[in-house]
Amino acid sequence: MTQTSVAAPDARIICALDVPTTDEAAALVERIGDAVGFYKIGLQLFAAGGMDLARDLQAQGRQVFLDWKLHDIGATVEKATANLAGAGCDLLTVHARPQVMAAARRGADGSRLKVLGVTVLTSLTDEDLAADDHSLSPADLVALRVRQALDAGIDGVVSSPHEATRVRDLAAAAGRPDFLIVTPGVRPVGAALDDQARAATPAKALQAGATHLVIGRPITAAADPRAAALAIANEIAPI
């Protein structure tokens, strides 16, 4: 049976290629086909040819999100970011620390690379933060780091769907309507939560203020990844 083609993939959907090898990642991209145009390469593929995969995806006309959460002294972060910007990548994560974010912004200056600060991992709960000696709730810690990201002049943050509305309000108050809110922890209705403590459906995440949805296993572990991606795109099309 001939598969139906799509006019253009929904650029708000970022498929997470969280698999062990670049061969497996490339096979997934082939199976998903024209249903997704934006892919995340995380730490699992970082040491397994992640940049080669990024270049291959770019050569195919796809966008690339490097979720590498850079965290080092300012000079090192700035130089690493500049190298990745020169490679033509689209999104890069760094830890949401003021010095780190400011350094990454300097490294990305003049390029198309957009820098995102990672606020609080979506797998963390109040208890996890307390165990790490944080007195703030996840929502309040996210708000603090969003303010710092805005002060640093970076392009956006990664936060759970549960904090997206507050992030959008903070960005609006700072005069940044273009501020990106990239949300992992997105699970279609009926999907397992897996290791996500603060999850939401794709529609609810966008309605809360998210600009992009990072979706992994609901697409990549599906019997038909392309059909799964198209179902999500159809769900969010009216939003």
Side-chain angles (χ1 to χ4, degrees):
M1 182 173 64
T2 302
Q3 289 187 325
T4 302
S5 62
V6 294
D10 193 317
R12 296 173 295 178
I13 297 173
I14 302 176
C15 180
L17 295 173
D18 294 330
V19 292
T21 69
T22 54
D23 286 344
E24 290 176 74
L28 275 169
V29 172
E30 179 69 21
R31 292 182 67 194
I32 294 167
D34 58 357
V36 171
F38 211 147
Y39 286 93
K40 187 198 86 164
I41 300 174
L43 287 177
Q44 190 171 14
L45 285 173
F46 172 72
M51 277 309 302
D52 289 337
L53 175 62
R55 294 185 185 96
D56 289 344
L57 290 172
Q58 289 168 336
Q60 297 168 24
R62 304 176 195 273
Q63 291 180 280
V64 175
F65 171 22
L66 298 179
D67 187 19
W68 290 355
K69 302 178 180 68
L70 301 185
H71 189 190
D72 210 314
I73 63 171
T76 299
V77 170
E78 182 176 348
K79 291 173 184 176
T81 302
N83 282 340
L84 296 172
C89 297
D90 299 280
L91 293 178
L92 171 70
T93 53
V94 302
H95 274 270
R97 300 293 189 272
Q99 183 190 61
V100 172
M101 292 187 289
R105 180 191 53 74
R106 292 193 298 271
D109 276 352
S111 75
R112 77 180 193 207
L113 177 67
K114 296 186 182 301
V115 176
L116 306 173
V118 177
T119 55
V120 178
L121 298 177
T122 52
S123 61
L124 297 180
T125 63
D126 287 355
E127 291 75 18
D128 293 322
L129 291 178
D132 200 27
D133 201 28
H134 280 288
S135 60
L136 299 177
S137 68
D140 288 340
L141 185 55
V142 167
L144 171 64
R145 291 178 174 168
V146 168
R147 293 187 187 97
Q148 293 170 334
L150 289 162
D151 289 343
I154 63 170
D155 302 283
V157 294
V158 177
S159 73
S160 92
H162 291 203
E163 287 88 43
T165 297
R166 191 171 185 184
V167 176
R168 177 58 59 214
D169 290 344
L170 289 168
R176 289 289 306 277
D178 60 336
F179 198 67
L180 300 179
I181 304 173
V182 178
T183 56
V186 176
R187 293 290 183 269
V189 175
L193 294 181
D194 299 309
D195 55 358
Q196 301 296 337
R198 305 194 317 283
T201 66
K204 287 188 180 299
L206 290 174
Q207 289 163 349
T211 60
H212 295 79
L213 312 172
V214 179
I215 306 173
R217 282 163 285 194
I219 295 175
T220 60
D224 185 339
R226 181 178 184 275
L230 288 177
I232 295 168
N234 288 336
E235 176 187 342
I236 66 175
I239 302 170

